[in-house]
Amino acid sequence: MTRQKPWRFPIRILVTNMFLLAIIITASIAITLQYNASKKAAVDHMLSSINLLSDHMSESVSHLDNDAKQTVNLLAELISSDLSSTSIEQKSSLFAQFLKKRPELYSLYIGDIQENFFQLINLDSAKDTRQLMKAQADDRWAAIEISGRGENRLRQTYYYSNTFYLNHQKSESTDFIPTKRPWFEASVQNHIYKTPPYLFEHLQISGQTYARRIRNTDQA
């Protein structure tokens, strides 16, 4: 019987394999370290971007807050008499002058204790405003006037072009009472009240209102 020789592993193959294994281990460690470093850099960059965005948002909110307060103060000082008998065109023209300078504001409105209400809406203030107001492409402003008592209380909406040409209008009954709204109830003279977020009646979206009682009148 022939004796089988023991199997031997050539030393050069062993060295080569060990060298390859060392390379693989080293490469794996390097890749892991690089991945962790890249991940940390990405996280740091993301956190930095979030902080910058947060600072920018805070600055924008502060700027908007100041603009809103300034607009309300100027308008309250300018209006020194009851506007309930003033024509819609005159009120719309007055309010539009302020909204053109503050395009980020959605609208301006005024109400009194006789439950008269007028509002001018900037249809370009947000992308959904036009759709929610059921306005047409050539409509630029929507003026809402509410008056009357009980079952005769009426809401009239006038849609104007950029040059205040009346494009169309509609009328519908309403139970909207301005004196029951949070902005009217909390408004006082010589002080601006900012409401907590609440549901806007005509758009059915949440927002805040800055209100001030107009001097020598029962309007806010």
Side-chain angles (χ1 to χ4, degrees), residues 17-149:
N17 288 341
M18 291 179 65
F19 180 70
L20 289 175
L21 181 61
I23 292 176
I24 292 172
I25 293 174
T26 302
S28 299
I29 294 174
I31 291 172
T32 300
L33 292 175
Q34 179 64 30
Y35 171 77
N36 290 334
S38 299
K39 183 178 179 181
K40 183 179 184 301
V43 170
D44 290 343
H45 178 71
M46 182 178 68
L47 291 175
S48 177
S49 298
I50 290 174
N51 289 333
L52 288 174
L53 179 61
S54 178
D55 291 342
H56 178 70
M57 288 180 65
S58 297
E59 183 178 346
S60 297
V61 169
S62 177
H63 182 69
L64 178 59
D65 185 74
N66 291 332
D67 279 352
K69 290 178 179 178
Q70 184 181 43
T71 299
V72 171
N73 272 329
L74 288 173
L75 191 58
E77 291 297 328
L78 185 62
I79 299 173
S80 57
S81 60
D82 190 346
L83 292 183
S84 59
S85 59
T86 306
S87 71
I88 295 174
E89 288 74 19
Q90 289 177 312
K91 286 183 284 191
S92 296
S93 178
L94 173 62
F95 284 20
Q97 292 180 45
F98 287 89
L99 290 176
K100 285 178 180 178
K101 295 179 181 179
R102 301 285 189 269
E104 68 278 4
L105 299 181
Y106 147 68
S107 75
L108 290 172
Y109 42 85
I110 186 170
D112 61 35
I113 60 172
Q114 284 77 39
E115 308 301 355
N116 297 308
F117 176 83
F118 174 80
Q119 178 179 23
L120 184 69
I121 298 174
N122 178 6
L123 295 174
D124 288 344
S125 61
K127 63 179 182 178
D128 295 333
T129 304
R130 188 177 304 276
Q131 180 182 356
L132 292 169
M133 286 299 300
K134 300 179 181 178
Q136 298 176 2
D138 56 344
D139 296 332
R140 177 66 177 82
W141 307 96
I144 298 175
E145 187 168 62
I146 297 177
S147 60
R149 297 282 181 179

Side-chain angles (χ1 to χ4, degrees), residues 171-191:
S171 300
E172 54 193 326
S173 60
T174 182
D175 58 359
F176 177 79
I177 304 296
T179 58
K180 300 299 183 183
R181 303 301 289 175
W183 54 269
F184 193 98
E185 292 180 328
S187 64
V188 296
Q189 189 173 316
N190 299 324
H191 176 73

